[in-house]
Amino acid sequence: QVQLVESGGGAVQAGGSLRLSCAASGSGFSLNVMGWYRQAPGKQRELVASVTSGGSTNYAGSVKGRFTISRDNAKNTVYLQMNSLKPEDTAVYYCNTRARRYYSGSFNDYWGQGTQVTVSS
């Protein structure tokens, strides 16, 4: 019902910036909280940032002050602006959203395919 397509990943040097985007497509749903997770090789997936439908944000302590999450509800898109990137930010970044189905009122979680972010020292 809902598909998430991510873009914007790449390779940068430490101190550089990247902007990730994630667009949700489908019908018969409304988006609730949206967020970005990341997973480095051999490590658990962790929450990076999230934003509610009302605009309230939450950040992991390691990225607070450097990353900014935002959303455009008209475009069903969430963004992650990443500044002052560090080598430890290297990971596959995944978009996530919880969507409510109009007709049933139920909620379901959806994940993007992941986009690689590599930061070199």
Side-chain angles (χ1 to χ4, degrees):
Q1 189 74 42
V2 178
Q3 291 186 333
L4 301 177
V5 179
E6 304 172 26
S7 62
V12 298
Q13 290 189 315
S17 298
L18 286 173
R19 191 189 191 210
L20 307 182
S21 64
C22 174
S25 62
S27 61
F29 68 90
S30 62
L31 300 177
N32 193 245
V33 64
M34 302 185 77
W36 289 94
Y37 291 73
R38 67 186 181 188
Q39 187 169 23
K43 303 190 71 175
Q44 292 184 318
R45 186 173 298 185
E46 63 176 350
L47 175 68
V48 177
S50 64
V51 56
T52 68
S53 59
S56 297
T57 58
N58 178 258
Y59 296 93
S62 59
V63 307
K64 188 172 294 184
R66 299 188 297 119
F67 292 8
T68 302
I69 189 170
S70 62
R71 64 191 291 167
D72 186 334
N73 291 328
K75 297 180 179 179
N76 288 331
T77 301
V78 63
Y79 306 92
L80 185 67
Q81 179 66 47
M82 304 184 293
N83 298 325
S84 302
L85 283 162
K86 304 175 180 179
E88 51 262 45
D89 295 319
T90 296
V92 176
Y93 285 69
Y94 296 91
C95 176
N96 173 80
T97 188
R98 172 158 290 190
R100 182 178 66 84
R101 296 163 62 183
Y102 286 135
Y103 304 115
S104 69
S106 63
F107 290 88
N108 288 284
D109 290 328
Y110 299 89
W111 292 89
Q113 79 281 5
T115 184
Q116 177 70 48
V117 172
T118 302
V119 185
S120 60
S121 60

